[in-house]
Amino acid sequence: MSESAGSGAKTESAPARTRRSGTVYRGDPGMWSWVAHRITGVLTFFFLFAHVLDTALVRVSPNAYNEVIETYKTPLVNLMEIGLVGAVLYHALNGIRVMLVDFWAKGPRYQRQMLWGILGVWVVVMVPGAYFMIERTAREMFGGH
Amino acid sequence: MSTSTTSDKPTSVWGSHESQPPVPDGAVSVTVKLLRFNPEVDSEPHWQSFEVPALPTDRVLNLLHYVKWYLDGTLTFRRSCAHGICGSDAMQINGINRLACKVLIKDLLAKKGKPTTITLAPIKGLPVNKDLLVDMEPFFEAFRAVKPYLITYGNEPTRERIQSAADRERFDDTTKCILCACCTSSCPVYWNDGSYFGPAAIVNAHRFIFDSRDEGAEERLDILNDAEGVWRCRTTFNCTDACPRGIEVTKAIQEVKRALLFKRV
């Protein structure tokens, strides 16, 4: 709400709430893990939405299904697949962390350590995972033996 | 931004003292960047910077005093005891909620003698009255709603209400609250949804829910079982990080959630 009187106007009451800019809250790592959890959750939801639709095409006709799946075989979709694996993996690992925060009495105290832990697992899984996922695309794009 | 306030001439403004005190040895010049808002002339808050001499052992509150006493007397902020007990001077310092009287300048100085800028803004989620001064009424409204006082039924004991050390320990952490609103105004859920009780109210409910002498736990748990109660908490831990008293705020909220889930106090 910023329907306050313009400058110079003689009003007595202050506007109820004013917008403010330039103050991003430097929150706890837990806040950013929550933001990332939301983003990865929404991304996964949209994937599932598209996935249900393209799989349902089999019921229309197997040919239509094959044609659609054929359009997925591009480097861009390959990158998106890696992004999807990363998003799902983060969401799953952080979900375990959130459950521990919720139900383990010492969870809130060790939430940061658990966050660094799941990020470590995420990197350890994603580095070889991404390598094997992109290997074929890279070979086909840039040639090789 | 129309410059109806005093953006270019920081010295000798109305309401300020004329002469500035001598700069002490070892002082460094820091830039204090303030989010200012005067409801009588501004339609939007705006940033204003002051150059202030500061000792590493000074607190942020000292810089605010310097600005108010010697540079611009119109600067408005709240402080009372200035020793981290009254909880008046909660503000956003370099992007996080802290008490201005508890943050030392030496912890904010830029490394290797680079120029230091300290950014001060009012706490988020509460209506700004002027400059760093916010209206705390919504905050206290949520506090009162959880009945933060002893509730007992039946006859009063003839002497004191006895409690074991272990029972006292159960809620010791949440007795430390000074109601500064650092936690509540650090909560992303509270910023976006003013009807959430907020961490501070839940902390103060926790203080009585887990008190063996109190008999109002059921009432308070009922209040907090609301859609705008503890279930809005997303465990972002901003509140735990912000608390100047070191209360494990999120832990207390989780304990209230578990008390509701498992009916165990």
Side-chain angles (χ1 to χ4, degrees):
Chain A
M1 280 186 276
S2 61
E3 64 272 353
S4 64
S7 43
K10 286 184 178 60
T11 47
E12 285 202 351
S13 60
R17 274 190 192 208
T18 44
R19 286 196 46 75
R20 47 194 288 186
S21 54
T23 52
V24 172
Y25 195 83
R26 274 193 315 123
D28 191 88
M31 177 174 91
W32 301 109
S33 82
W34 166 71
V35 169
H37 200 75
R38 272 283 157 93
I39 292 170
T40 54
V42 169
L43 285 177
T44 309
F45 171 77
F46 281 122
F47 160 73
L48 285 174
F49 187 71
H51 185 55
V52 166
L53 283 184
D54 62 26
T55 309
L57 269 178
V58 164
R59 304 280 296 175
V60 179
S61 88
N63 276 341
Y65 176 82
N66 283 343
E67 275 172 39
V68 169
I69 295 301
E70 201 60 36
T71 63
Y72 289 173
K73 293 177 180 170
T74 66
L76 180 67
V77 175
N78 192 206
L79 281 179
M80 285 163 71
E81 283 171 341
I82 292 170
L84 178 67
V85 170
V88 170
L89 184 64
Y90 174 82
H91 201 79
L93 291 169
N94 195 50
I96 295 169
R97 171 179 162 269
V98 169
M99 281 188 272
L100 285 171
V101 165
D102 281 340
F103 294 106
W104 177 35
K106 287 181 179 169
R109 191 167 294 169
Y110 294 113
Q111 62 97 5
R112 276 194 208 177
Q113 288 89 328
M114 290 196 290
L115 179 58
W116 306 137
I118 66 145
L119 289 179
V121 171
W122 189 87
V123 170
V124 165
V125 174
M126 281 310 286
V127 168
Y131 173 76
F132 287 115
M133 285 182 79
I134 208 145
E135 190 206 0
R136 186 190 150 102
T137 307
R139 197 152 24 86
E140 281 175 7
M141 276 180 85
F142 306 113
H145 306 292
Chain B
M1 209 53 56
S2 63
T3 51
S4 40
T5 45
T6 52
S7 10
D8 346 75
K9 277 202 304 171
T11 45
S12 85
V13 188
W14 175 85
S16 65
H17 300 222
E18 282 301 310
S19 59
Q20 296 175 12
V23 175
D25 287 339
V28 283
S29 184
V30 299
T31 307
V32 181
K33 190 177 160 204
L34 293 151
L35 191 62
R36 302 208 58 182
F37 175 68
N38 179 353
E40 287 170 6
V41 289
D42 301 331
S43 55
E44 292 276 305
H46 61 275
W47 293 101
Q48 187 181 5
S49 294
F50 296 93
E51 286 297 320
V52 177
L55 287 168
T57 50
D58 272 341
R59 302 156 301 158
V60 171
L61 183 63
N62 297 106
L63 306 194
L64 285 169
H65 280 152
Y66 191 95
V67 172
K68 183 164 179 73
W69 293 344
Y70 305 113
L71 302 179
D72 185 351
T74 66
L75 178 69
T76 304
F77 55 93
R78 193 188 272 122
R79 75 102 170 84
S80 187
C81 78
H83 289 79
I85 297 297
C86 72
S88 299
D89 59 355
M91 57 189 69
Q92 203 172 305
I93 299 171
N94 283 353
I96 37 175
N97 286 357
R98 293 287 182 265
L99 295 182
C101 57
K102 282 194 79 174
V103 178
L104 291 178
I105 301 305
K106 67 174 178 171
D107 297 325
L108 302 177
L109 288 176
K111 288 185 181 73
K112 293 173 194 158
K114 283 184 206 154
T116 303
T117 299
I118 296 169
T119 309
L120 302 176
I123 47 178
K124 259 179 157 174
L126 291 163
V128 177
N129 281 347
K130 192 183 176 191
D131 295 339
L132 301 173
L133 185 86
V134 298
D135 178 8
M136 298 278 279
E137 195 43 38
F139 172 81
F140 286 123
E141 210 175 289
F143 169 65
R144 286 191 296 265
V146 299
K147 306 188 178 180
Y149 41 80
L150 187 78
I151 299 175
T152 55
Y153 301 99
N155 295 328
E156 263 183 55
T158 43
R159 301 183 69 185
E160 75 265 43
R161 298 173 196 274
I162 295 168
Q163 183 169 51
S164 72
D167 281 347
R168 177 61 177 72
E169 183 64 30
R170 182 71 193 83
F171 61 94
D172 185 67
D173 201 34
T174 45
T175 61
K176 300 176 198 161
C177 179
I178 55 174
L179 293 172
C180 64
C182 271
C183 59
T184 294
S185 59
S186 76
C187 177
V189 180
Y190 191 81
W191 299 333
N192 293 317
D193 180 359
S195 47
Y196 173 43
F197 279 92
I202 301 170
V203 158
N204 284 280
H206 178 286
R207 183 252 171 272
F208 286 98
I209 288 169
F210 293 95
D211 186 335
S212 61
R213 299 164 296 188
D214 184 271
E215 290 162 22
E218 284 300 318
E219 293 170 47
R220 296 195 193 89
L221 286 172
D222 266 352
I223 294 165
L224 292 175
N225 203 9
D226 191 77
E228 305 299 337
V230 285
W231 305 114
R232 301 246 60 182
C233 168
R234 294 288 180 266
T235 61
T236 68
F237 289 92
N238 276 6
C239 50
T240 306
D241 173 71
C243 181
R245 305 286 295 168
I247 302 172
E248 292 179 271
V249 183
T250 316
K251 184 167 172 272
I253 299 173
Q254 296 298 78
E255 284 173 1
V256 174
K257 283 183 190 168
R258 282 204 295 273
L260 276 166
L261 276 180
F262 304 118
K263 298 284 171 223
R264 199 173 40 192
V265 174

